[in-house]
Amino acid sequence: MSSDVDINAAAGKFLKLAEGHLAAYAEACVKCGQCADACHFYVASGDPRYTPAYKLFPMAKAVRRQKWPLAWLGLAPRLTRDDLAQWEELLFDSCTLCGRCTIVCPMGIDIAGIVSASRQAFVAAGLGPKDLLQAADNARDKGSPLGVTPSVLAERIDWIKDEHEVEIPLDKAKAGILLTLSSVELMKYPDSVAAMAKLLNHAGVDWTLSSKGYEATNFGYLAGEMDIAKVMVERITAAAEAVGAATVVIPECGHAYGALRWSGANLLGRPLPYEVLHITEMLARLKRAGRLKLRPTEASITYHDPCQISRRGGATAEARFLLDGFATDFREMSPTGNYNWCCGGGGGVQAIGRAAELRYQAFKIKMDQVEKTGAKTMISACSNCRLTMDESKEHWKWQGGLGSLVELIADHLAEPEAKPAQAR
Amino acid sequence: MTLLDAARGPVLQLALAIFAFGVAWRLSSLLLLPFARDKSLPRTGAPPAAFAALREILRRSWPQKSFGRASLFMTVNSYVFHLGLALIVFAFAPHILFIKSLFGVSWGNLPNNVIYAVAVVTVASLAAALIRRISNPVQRIISTFDDYVAWFVTLLPVLTGLAAASHLIARYETLLAIHILSVALFLAWLPFGKLMHAFLVFVTRGMTGAYLSRRGAQL
């Protein structure tokens, strides 16, 4: 480990975060180990180091050193460089912040919350996977983790418009709804961008993209770099305020939803001046209002719940509402919904190159789940899950189909798309 | 002053004082921290935080859907020794008399033989918990010295209580004194280690219940 690791910065950050609201979590573990069975990385590998409770150790140690009433007896050792070296992989590579462990913990400890906070302390010390940190830096410096600058955005949107013959408003002066995009979609799944545009146009929604704030993903949030996380929220907020949008729509991306919907206001330091909807929530709203006319599909499909939208996002029901009456051969996995297994690449793990083998191992759980349903295709509402699953599918030469919920719906519109509505 | 006099006099009083002060210290050091207010807009229909917290405290006391074999063992065994300890402390006639002498309140007791049986089951359950902790790779790696201390100071009062009740090995007064000393050790250690979970459980479950219910997450 390099000698420029700032151990005191890590210890200080741990303490500051613990004093925010995590101290009780850090001190309450009874070491029952039940969380291991809830963690895909432990279940897939059998390695006890991946036990979620084990990931509490650095924060618990830092807190104990400072707060334990008997620390003055010398019984609470300091956090060491070796500790940080050992736990970096555990806190970054082998935790997707999926929160399944939080559900099983008899003490109700939000282990995912502790891991997320612990990453901040590691980054403060000068640690963290370089590729994940680079993605966050790219987002700050270029506008997106994949280097999608505003001019690249405009080029890609032009291309998608031509390729899919769909209207995609960019930088309309005023619009009721601001759509954001994940650069994973822009660069790898452009069909998803076209699908969202078709659906919003079909429903006659007054919407736009904005080159002021287009990137929905928040790698600052995932990497524990909260200053970058704040910048990303500020950009979207500036864009929404500029176009007068009352609603910001997050595309098929789980963590982007969590970062803006549930942490955005806290990062910004004030309530968000707009509502935040995931695209599944937006489409469910349109369906309820009778603005989504679909032809049913008979394809046998199952649905993968993105953790940050379902278990930790509270929007589990929306995807089912969309599938209800539309997908006539829909099959739930077991477990599903709030208990669903993670894809293996959430929480920034997808961006960590050295974690690839772990992701592949975790995906074996998913393949087994899908095969038990007998469904031909697993769809999801998160492009990060989709990317993880596509790569894992390739690794295992798996025959199962993968897809996007939004694309599936857009492919079954009953009527030709309308033009995007004009700002009123 | 005999050993028994010392045990149930100043030693127990000191232990109770450490217990009360220690618990108050740790709880206040947590609860008096400035709690960062969540500025996110709660999901429509999310229950008030206090309700969500209370609901989660109660809900997690119920057996949950098992996540696997290890969870199943932990769930069953933990219920056994927690309920066993509760019955021994609160349903054994001499304990009820002792509590009455301290606080002036009392209630009905279970027959002594039932309590002895419960105590034997509790000892077996605690032994199983220790064997599991040592033999299971997951529990072994996450266990620290404190986990073994907590186990030891919990087991000791049950064992010494059984010995005292069965008048084995030594004079009853001596056994009773040792039993009370072991209880004093348990009380004095409780605030400083993981036994504090007896209080923290309400804090952590409540926090998570409020936090996730705000999002509309169904736990």
Side-chain angles (χ1 to χ4, degrees), chain A residues 21 25 27 30-31 37 57 68 102-103 105-108 110 257 261-262 266 281 311-313 338, chain B residues 26 38-39 41 43 60 64 70-71 133 139 142 147 192 194 204-205 207-208 211 215 217-218:
Chain A
H21 64 287
Y25 286 151
E27 295 179 22
V30 292
K31 321 287 180 59
D37 283 331
F57 272 43
W68 193 42
T102 300
I103 290 198
C105 176
M107 290 295 290
D110 184 22
Y257 178 68
R261 175 66 180 91
W262 298 116
N266 299 321
E281 292 179 298
R311 177 164 45 247
R312 296 188 62 89
N338 298 328
Chain B
R26 286 201 63 191
D38 192 341
K39 297 184 177 69
L41 184 71
R43 188 172 291 281
R60 282 198 199 223
Q64 290 195 60
S71 296
R133 188 169 292 287
Q139 274 203 281
I142 59 176
D147 295 292
F192 305 109
K194 82 162 192 187
T204 50
R205 283 184 187 174
M207 278 169 60
T208 296
Y211 167 68
R215 300 177 170 202
Q218 303 294 314

Side-chain angles (χ1 to χ4, degrees), chain B residues 36-219:
Chain B
R37 189 163 288 280
D38 192 341
K39 297 184 177 69
S40 68
L41 184 71
R43 188 172 291 281
T44 308
F51 174 83
L54 191 60
R55 184 176 62 181
E56 196 62 14
I57 289 167
L58 295 174
R59 203 190 60 81
R60 282 198 199 223
S61 300
W62 238 244
Q64 290 195 60
K65 190 175 81 170
S66 173
F67 274 60
R69 273 174 38 206
S71 296
L72 187 64
F73 171 83
M74 282 307 302
T75 302
V76 172
N77 197 49
S78 301
Y79 271 99
V80 169
F81 74 73
H82 278 95
L83 288 173
L85 291 169
L87 284 173
I88 294 165
V89 173
F90 296 111
F92 185 43
H95 292 165
I96 296 170
L97 283 175
F98 181 72
I99 291 167
K100 189 179 181 187
S101 74
L102 282 178
F103 303 107
V105 289
S106 65
W107 48 83
N109 63 286
L110 286 176
N112 288 0
N113 285 338
V114 172
I115 295 296
Y116 299 152
V118 168
V120 169
V121 170
T122 303
V123 169
S125 174
L126 284 169
L130 180 69
I131 291 167
R132 173 101 198 162
R133 188 169 292 287
I134 294 168
S135 62
N136 179 271
V138 164
Q139 274 203 281
R140 195 168 58 233
I141 198 172
I142 59 176
S143 296
T144 60
F145 183 64
D146 174 41
D147 295 292
Y148 297 101
V149 173
W151 179 87
F152 180 71
V153 301
T154 305
L155 178 73
L156 213 50
V158 187
L159 279 183
T160 56
L162 270 174
S166 54
H167 298 226
L168 287 173
I169 308 166
R171 284 176 60 231
Y172 173 71
E173 286 75 10
T174 308
L175 291 170
L176 182 60
I178 292 171
H179 176 57
I180 294 173
L181 288 173
S182 72
V183 172
L185 179 66
F186 173 86
L187 288 170
W189 179 250
L190 188 143
F192 305 109
K194 82 162 192 187
L195 293 174
M196 186 64 192
H197 78 271
F199 294 92
L200 291 179
V201 67
F202 302 106
V203 179
T204 50
R205 283 184 187 174
M207 278 169 60
T208 296
Y211 167 68
L212 287 175
S213 291
R214 181 184 183 87
R215 300 177 170 202
Q218 303 294 314
L219 288 180

Side-chain angles (χ1 to χ4, degrees), chain A residues 46-306:
Chain A
D47 185 342
R49 293 185 315 126
Y50 296 144
T51 302
Y54 198 50
K55 296 166 186 167
L56 300 175
F57 272 43
M59 177 168 278
K61 194 173 182 183
V63 169
R64 192 174 170 86
R65 170 80 187 171
Q66 291 293 327
K67 294 281 188 183
W68 193 42
L70 302 182
W72 55 276
L73 291 172
L75 299 175
R78 283 176 193 281
L79 201 62
T80 65
R81 285 168 198 275
D82 283 347
D83 291 334
L84 296 186
Q86 196 184 335
W87 263 272
E88 185 189 90
E89 183 217 345
L90 303 180
L91 293 168
F92 286 91
D93 305 30
S94 61
C95 179
T96 54
L97 311 177
C98 80
R100 228 171 162 259
C101 48
T102 300
I103 290 198
V104 74
C105 176
M107 290 295 290
I109 298 171
D110 184 22
I111 303 169
I114 293 265
V115 170
S116 184
S118 298
R119 289 182 179 185
Q120 294 181 47
F122 273 62
V123 169
L127 292 164
K130 295 288 172 278
D131 35 14
L132 178 62
L133 298 175
Q134 186 61 54
D137 288 348
N138 285 349
R140 179 192 57 210
D141 301 336
K142 298 177 180 170
S144 117
L146 297 183
V148 178
T149 59
S151 62
V152 173
L153 170 76
E155 286 168 22
R156 288 297 285 177
I157 293 299
D158 275 345
W159 177 78
I160 294 169
K161 279 160 72 172
D162 290 346
E163 188 74 14
H164 293 269
E165 297 180 351
V166 59
E167 284 293 317
I168 303 180
L170 174 63
D171 288 331
K172 252 165 63 172
K174 291 289 169 194
I177 288 175
L178 175 72
L179 177 67
T180 57
L181 301 174
S182 147
S183 45
V184 174
E185 292 171 316
L186 270 171
M187 305 311 285
K188 188 160 172 68
Y189 301 118
D191 291 8
S192 185
V193 179
M196 286 191 290
K198 284 179 188 171
L199 289 163
L200 294 175
N201 293 346
H202 163 89
V205 171
D206 167 29
W207 68 284
T208 188
L209 294 170
S210 167
S211 53
K212 280 198 178 75
Y214 50 92
E215 183 59 51
T217 66
N218 195 326
F219 274 75
Y221 182 78
L222 296 176
E225 295 195 277
M226 302 322 270
D227 50 341
I228 297 180
K230 186 179 180 186
V231 166
M232 301 310 287
V233 174
E234 285 171 342
R235 284 183 191 155
I236 292 174
T237 302
E241 288 178 331
V243 300
T247 303
V248 169
V249 174
I250 298 291
E252 287 193 320
C253 182
H255 90 263
Y257 178 68
L260 191 65
R261 175 66 180 91
W262 298 116
S263 297
N266 299 321
L267 288 163
L268 200 61
R270 63 182 164 101
L272 298 177
Y274 46 82
E275 68 168 342
V276 179
L277 295 180
H278 184 252
I279 186 70
T280 53
E281 292 179 298
M282 180 73 211
L283 295 179
R285 181 180 286 187
L286 294 173
K287 184 177 177 183
R288 282 191 190 94
R291 293 166 70 181
L292 216 51
K293 304 278 188 281
L294 303 177
R295 292 177 281 112
T297 173
E298 292 175 358
S300 70
I301 56 168
T302 187
Y303 178 70
H304 165 75
D305 286 87

